[in-house]
């Protein structure tokens, strides 16, 4: 039986709001922060913490996507194509969880994150070149959105989709294995590999991570790991933070989001290396 | 015409997500107020099923827009989510 005081619940809502704000701006679910907090501060077993994290990821994803889909920031076509392999990876990850040594997976993942972080940081230092594609869409995987920060309509077309789809499987597998949404992989893949503007990449990632989190959450729910009241308070906070964060995402400068994301990936990589040693 | 249909399609996705969130919030809040564990759990279940509902709406939406490859991809995601439900 897990006992949490009223102040503890209040703290969960506030922390959830912070995670929701961060997640909606950067396209991640915040699992890398929620799981350690619940384990280290509230002494919640890791499986339960992962389950709570997955529930709050669904809340963030649904809230953010419900706004960004209409604004054209989240690309539903790109999202559904990548979700296909992401969902498959998510199931494979959840099934492999009991067979694969998690430490080796964590180590391999963290080593992969360093060049990604460096690449995103270097990209954020360069001046953003606004694509001036014609408004016609020759590829079904492309889109246009209005960016208030630059005051222009930005059009893009996704490149190297087969490779991105492959990485999406890997992102899904991480969701099942480690209880993450997978946004920490999806955003750099879409931004660096597919040349999708960071705001559209973050919004599309947020749109997708709900599916991988739901696929894993169903398995955790059936195993009885979901703690309903804690999940509610954390999700309540993330919902509030998500709606605040979306206003920020829409107005923020793209290069600042990229810098912030590269720092986040670096922190995640360091944390995972220590965890796997 | 195509633009109008696209807007309608995106609106239906938006609605499916918002309805899921509202149901989650109402059921879970009632569960906490009346100290009813079942209501609280149903709220969480509603939230977990929200992305699934969104995939169903995408599948129908793409079919109506005659984007059959996209409808097939959505159906594939739906099948995979059903598999995770059965595991």
């Amino acid at each position: 039986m897990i006992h949490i005081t009223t102040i503890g619940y209040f703290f969960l809502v506030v922390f959830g709001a912070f995670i929701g704000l961060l997640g909606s701006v950067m396209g991640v679910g915040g699992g890398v922060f929620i799981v350690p907090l619940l384990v280290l501060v509230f002494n919640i077993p890791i499986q339960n913490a992962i389950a709570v994290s997955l529930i709050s990821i669904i809340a963030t994803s649904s809230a953010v996507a419900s706004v960004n889909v209409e604004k054209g920031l989240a690309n539903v076509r790109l999202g559904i194509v990548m979700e296909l392999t992401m969902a498959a990876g998510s199931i494979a990850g959840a099934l492999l969880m009991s067979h694969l040594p998690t430490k080796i997976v964590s180590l391999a993942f963290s080593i992969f994150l360093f060049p990604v972080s460096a690449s995103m940081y270097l990209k954020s230092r360069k001046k953003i070149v606004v694509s001036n594609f014609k408004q016609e869409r020759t590829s079904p995987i492309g889109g246009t959105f209005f960016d208030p920060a630059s005051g222009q309509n930005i059009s893009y077309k996704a490149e190297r989709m087969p490779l991105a789809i492959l990485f999406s499987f890997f992102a899904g597998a991480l969701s099942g294995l480690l209880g993450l949404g997978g946004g920490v992989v999806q955003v750099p893949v879409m931004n660096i590999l597919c040349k999708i503007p960071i705001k559209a990449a973050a919004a599309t990632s947020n749109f997708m991570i709900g599916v991988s989190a739901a696929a894993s959450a169903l398995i955790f729910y059936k195993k009885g790991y979901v703690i309903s009241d804690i999940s509610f308070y954390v999700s309540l906070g993330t919902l509030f933070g998500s709606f605040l964060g979306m206003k920020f995402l829409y107005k923020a400068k793209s290069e600042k989001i990229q810098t912030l994301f590269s720092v986040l990936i670096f922190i995640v990589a360091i944390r995972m290396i220590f965890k796997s040693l | 015409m195509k633009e109008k249909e696209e807007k309608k399609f995106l609106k239906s996705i938006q609605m499916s997500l918002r309805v899921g969130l509202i149901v989650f919030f109402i059921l879970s809040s009632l569960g906490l107020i009346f100290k009813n564990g079942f209501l609280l759990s149903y709220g969480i279940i509603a939230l977990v099923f929200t992305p699934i509902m969104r995939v169903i709406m995408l599948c129908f939406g793409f079919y109506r827009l005659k984007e059959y490859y996209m409808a097939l991809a959505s159906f594939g995601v739906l099948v995979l989510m059903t598999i995770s439900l059965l595991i």
Side-chain angles (χ1 to χ4, degrees):
Chain A
M1 186 72 189
I2 296 153
H3 178 72
I4 294 177
T5 59
T6 311
I7 295 167
Y9 283 125
F10 178 73
F11 180 71
L12 282 174
V13 176
V14 173
F15 181 74
F18 173 70
I19 295 299
L21 195 122
L22 199 75
S24 61
V25 173
M26 293 198 278
V28 296
V32 282
F33 299 114
I34 296 171
V35 176
L37 174 102
L38 293 177
V39 172
L40 300 173
V41 179
F42 292 96
N43 294 318
I44 292 170
I46 184 92
Q47 293 92 337
N48 299 95
I50 290 173
V52 172
S53 159
L54 289 168
I55 298 294
S56 79
I57 290 168
I58 298 170
T60 307
S61 168
S62 303
V64 177
S66 74
V67 175
N68 286 339
V69 160
E70 203 189 20
K71 281 183 178 170
L73 269 177
N75 189 323
V76 291
R77 287 166 181 85
L78 174 67
I80 201 70
V81 170
M82 289 179 75
E83 266 176 10
L84 197 57
T85 47
M86 196 181 185
S90 178
I91 295 169
L95 289 175
L96 279 173
M97 193 170 63
S98 51
H99 297 96
L100 266 181
T102 315
K103 284 188 173 183
I104 291 173
V105 179
S106 297
L107 189 65
F109 176 60
S110 52
I111 290 167
F112 159 80
L113 287 179
F114 283 110
V116 173
S117 167
S119 172
M120 286 210 84
Y121 182 76
L122 290 173
K123 213 177 166 210
S124 71
R125 299 287 95 188
K126 289 181 188 168
K127 194 168 169 59
I128 299 285
V129 178
V130 178
S131 321
N132 283 320
F133 292 135
K134 287 178 183 171
Q135 292 300 309
E136 60 180 319
R137 289 195 309 188
T138 50
S139 160
I141 314 287
T144 305
F145 67 91
F146 177 72
D147 183 14
S150 64
Q152 295 182 58
N153 273 324
I154 297 182
S155 296
Y156 62 90
K157 275 188 277 183
E159 296 176 19
R160 302 191 194 100
M161 275 307 289
L163 210 55
I165 289 168
L166 189 74
F167 271 107
S168 194
F169 180 87
F170 181 60
L174 280 171
S175 169
L177 274 169
L178 307 171
L180 309 175
V184 80
V185 176
Q186 297 287 22
V187 176
V189 163
M190 282 190 275
N191 185 231
I192 297 169
L193 211 64
C194 304
K195 310 270 185 219
I196 291 166
I198 188 78
K199 288 186 181 182
T204 307
S205 166
N206 249 322
F207 176 76
M208 290 192 293
I209 57 176
V211 163
S212 63
S216 305
L218 283 169
I219 296 168
F220 278 87
Y221 191 90
K222 281 171 72 179
K223 288 184 178 174
Y225 289 134
V226 174
I227 308 167
S228 298
D229 57 343
I230 295 175
S231 300
F232 173 73
Y233 284 112
V234 176
S235 301
L236 194 68
T238 56
L239 280 177
F240 180 69
S242 300
F243 284 114
L244 272 181
M246 272 179 286
K247 291 188 176 179
F248 182 72
L249 170 73
Y250 206 49
K251 290 175 186 165
K253 286 195 180 344
S254 297
E255 50 269 53
K256 283 191 178 164
I257 301 172
Q258 277 176 325
T259 310
L260 205 63
F261 205 93
S262 65
V263 173
L264 170 78
I265 297 173
F266 187 77
I267 294 167
V268 172
I270 296 283
R271 203 186 79 80
M272 289 191 82
I273 277 195
F274 277 107
K275 202 181 164 191
S276 57
L277 291 176
Chain B
M1 189 64 184
K2 175 96 179 163
E3 206 169 295
K4 203 175 171 185
E5 279 182 20
E6 176 82 11
K7 271 194 175 173
K8 204 174 153 188
F9 164 59
L10 295 177
K11 195 88 189 162
S12 69
I13 308 297
Q14 187 185 42
M15 283 307 291
S16 67
L17 291 167
R18 286 197 176 162
V19 167
L21 286 174
I22 291 166
V23 172
F24 152 72
F25 184 74
I26 292 172
L27 288 180
S28 300
S29 302
L30 287 174
L32 276 177
I33 292 164
F34 297 111
K35 299 197 188 304
N36 186 322
F38 282 111
L39 275 177
L40 191 58
S41 298
Y42 286 139
I44 300 293
I45 291 169
L47 184 64
V48 174
F49 274 86
T50 302
I52 300 174
M53 272 309 293
R54 190 262 282 164
V55 176
I56 293 171
M57 296 304 284
L58 276 173
C59 193
F60 277 113
F62 282 130
Y63 184 79
R64 283 185 64 169
L65 289 171
K66 296 187 173 63
E67 293 184 30
Y68 298 118
Y69 284 115
M70 290 291 167
L72 197 65
S74 314
F75 185 71
V77 175
L78 202 60
V79 169
L80 286 167
M81 296 199 83
T82 312
I83 290 170
S84 76
L85 193 66
L86 299 173
I87 289 170

